[in-house]
Amino acid sequence: EVQLAESGGGLVQPGGSLRLSCEVSGFTVSSNYMSWVRQAPGKGLEWVSIIYSSGNTNYADSVKGRFTISRHSSKNTLYLQMNSLRVEDTAVYHCARDHSSGWYDYWGQGTLVTVSS
Amino acid sequence: EIVMTQSPATLSVSPGERATLSCRASQSVNSNLAWYQHKPGQAPRLLISGASTRAAGTPARFSGSGSGTEFTLTISSLQSEDFAIYYCQQYDSWPTFGQGTKVEIK
């Protein structure tokens, strides 16, 4: 059975940092494209970042230079390092497997990040 | 960025009735469109990809249609478990999502 479980969310002040984790079972993270997708309160879904099976990465303009996506093969875990956090980064962050054609076939339940003073 | 616009924002439907949800793209996305179902506190669930191909486990009462800029998700006979928020997503370029349509019990 495929499972994705996010953790690491919480309350942080503007300018602070958090690292989110996504523990995966049922498939190999490093053999797949993996993404982070977020949902701000009352808003729709927003793609944040992707890591390809090659290890290459990409980011939405809104987080470029501040967020870093990575993975740990032996732990089968995906990460999102978030620095210089802003109030507008407040959202539930979901990890998801990218089918490689561009849709997401497995998702986690998400972890809430709140950026507030 | 391709902007996805969903309508209506909220759809009130009685169980057993048909629901029709619309999604419009600001430019053509060909058939590179997916639909998701999302219930609060749960993981979003892929329903349809390629505008009309049901994902594994998606009941036959869900059908998708359209291409280019206009897409439709139809739920032929709403069941209690179908009341949720539905999102469309284009993947013709960098992925973008619609704002969602909430399907609620009438």
Side-chain angles (χ1 to χ4, degrees):
Chain A
E1 182 189 7
V2 171
Q3 290 190 333
L4 292 79
E6 302 93 339
S7 60
L11 174 63
V12 61
Q13 292 188 337
S17 299
L18 274 179
R19 187 177 83 155
L20 306 183
S21 300
C22 171
E23 293 187 31
V24 175
S25 58
F27 66 87
T28 302
V29 167
S30 60
S31 299
N32 286 272
Y33 295 6
M34 297 294 297
S35 283
W36 287 96
V37 177
R38 68 184 180 184
Q39 184 170 29
K43 301 287 185 65
L45 296 163
E46 178 191 20
W47 170 77
V48 173
S49 181
I50 185 171
I51 184 166
Y52 300 96
S53 52
S54 66
N56 290 339
T57 59
N58 254 309
Y59 300 90
D61 287 344
S62 58
V63 307
K64 200 171 293 183
R66 300 187 297 123
F67 290 11
T68 303
I69 191 171
S70 63
R71 64 192 181 201
H72 194 297
S73 296
S74 62
K75 294 183 179 180
N76 210 36
T77 298
L78 178 73
Y79 300 101
L80 185 68
Q81 177 67 44
M82 304 187 295
N83 298 331
S84 303
L85 281 161
R86 304 168 180 169
V87 171
E88 56 265 34
D89 294 320
T90 295
V92 173
Y93 285 73
H94 299 272
C95 58
R97 186 174 82 166
D98 187 315
H99 185 267
S100 80
S101 294
W103 66 84
Y104 307 100
D105 54 1
Y106 295 108
W107 297 69
Q109 290 185 313
T111 186
L112 175 62
V113 173
T114 303
V115 185
S116 175
S117 54
Chain B
E1 173 182 308
I2 298 176
V3 177
M4 307 301 292
T5 303
Q6 291 186 242
S7 61
T10 303
L11 188 61
S12 298
V13 186
S14 299
E17 290 187 340
R18 172 186 296 257
T20 302
L21 290 67
S22 296
C23 175
R24 174 177 293 176
S26 60
Q27 64 189 73
S28 176
V29 299
N30 299 294
S31 294
N32 296 316
L33 186 105
W35 289 95
Y36 302 89
Q37 177 191 70
H38 192 199
K39 298 179 181 178
Q42 296 187 18
R45 172 192 175 191
L46 174 69
L47 295 175
I48 285 173
S49 62
S52 60
T53 302
R54 279 189 294 274
T58 300
R61 62 181 180 274
F62 290 90
S63 63
S65 63
S67 66
T69 61
E70 300 284 344
F71 301 88
T72 300
L73 175 69
T74 301
I75 312 171
S76 59
S77 176
L78 271 158
Q79 306 298 302
S80 58
E81 62 267 29
D82 300 335
F83 292 97
I85 301 174
Y86 292 84
Y87 293 96
C88 61
Q89 176 230 336
Q90 67 79 20
Y91 49 92
D92 194 69
S93 64
W94 289 113
T96 52
F97 295 82
Q99 291 296 100
T101 291
K102 181 180 181 181
V103 177
E104 64 177 24
I105 300 175
K106 186 175 182 180

